[in-house]
Amino acid sequence: ISPESDTHLAYSYLIMSSSMMSRSGLKLRSSSQAARSVVAQAGASRPLWLPGNTPPAHLTGEMAGDFGFDPLGLGKDPASLAFYKEAELVHCRLAMTGVAGVLFTSVANKAGAGIPEWFDAGKVYDAQPNHIPFGTLLMVQLFLTGFVESKRWQDLNKPGSQGEKGSFFGFEGAFKGTGDPAYPGGPFDPLGLSRGSPEALQQYKLKEIKNGRLAMLAFIGFGAQHAATGKGPIDNLLEHIADPWHKTFAENGVSLPFTL
């Protein structure tokens, strides 16, 4: 093979290599552009509380139930955002428990089980002989709730700290959690729902926060109903079904300052 042929081969190799590298670069750029396009499309299709609205920069859609609603900018500070997230979730869980209790006692009362309505429960209990005084119950609840809340607050400030040795009388292992104070898992997840796929867990989180927000509104409604009618939600519902045109909030004489 002549030197001239070697030179031609070398040139050919360089041209082929440059061409291959160019095509590879184009493919890499195309892939990265496609990835950015998918992210952009996902952001554009993100459900918002007001369609077409631009969500605040600190609400990225990563949290369950984040629909870009923060008109007062309360979550601009990351520490405040973590606190509000935890506070809302705790109130959601308390509201769901309370709403279930109100509905259960109301249905049981109608079924003749001898269980008082939720607004009469304290009065009925206080009338029982040998009952525990209200002051004693209040102090016990304040102590127990205060202890639990202080432990939760410490775990919020330092996730995983309540699983450290010596933090809970030797039972720390059971409270080590997952590292996320809002979703500790372990004994607080007896059905093992958090141990499934990440996609399923995210759906559970979304459903929980949605139902919790609905329960908070429902409990406010239960209190308002009783203040206006002196009755529970089941009684109000049955009366409305029996006479839907007259048994409404507009006709109870309290909800509106006038009568229709």
Side-chain angles (χ1 to χ4, degrees), residues 69-214:
F69 182 80
D70 187 12
L72 300 180
L74 300 177
K76 288 183 178 179
D77 176 55
S80 298
L81 182 60
F83 171 78
Y84 287 128
K85 169 193 170 184
E86 180 89 2
E88 181 187 31
L89 195 55
V90 169
H91 281 82
C92 281
R93 290 166 178 169
L94 287 174
M96 286 189 286
T97 304
V99 166
V102 168
L103 294 177
F104 172 77
T105 54
S106 188
V107 170
N109 180 272
K110 298 296 170 292
I115 298 177
E117 290 276 7
W118 67 277
F119 47 82
D120 286 331
K123 180 175 62 178
V124 171
Y125 174 77
D126 194 53
Q128 298 296 320
N130 302 320
H131 69 277
I132 301 175
F134 174 76
T136 303
L137 285 174
L138 179 62
M139 293 308 298
V140 170
Q141 182 170 350
L142 286 176
F143 173 77
L144 295 178
T145 304
F147 175 75
V148 172
E149 286 297 297
S150 65
K151 300 290 284 183
R152 188 173 65 83
W153 178 255
Q154 294 173 28
D155 199 43
L156 177 62
N157 290 329
K158 185 182 177 183
S161 62
Q162 301 312 293
E164 297 175 356
K165 187 175 181 180
S167 63
F168 194 69
F169 312 114
F171 297 98
E172 304 85 21
F175 298 96
K176 187 175 181 179
T178 61
D180 186 348
Y183 305 96
F188 301 101
D189 182 21
L191 299 180
L193 299 178
S194 63
R195 294 192 289 272
S197 66
E199 293 78 11
L201 178 59
Q202 193 65 23
Q203 285 298 315
Y204 288 134
K205 291 180 179 180
L206 180 60
K207 291 176 180 178
E208 180 186 35
I209 198 71
K210 282 184 174 181
N211 282 280
R213 289 167 178 170
L214 181 61

Side-chain angles (χ1 to χ4, degrees), residues 30-49:
S30 299
S31 299
S32 61
Q33 289 171 357
R36 285 195 296 270
S37 177
V38 170
V39 172
Q41 290 175 5
S45 62
R46 171 188 169 189
L48 298 172
W49 72 278

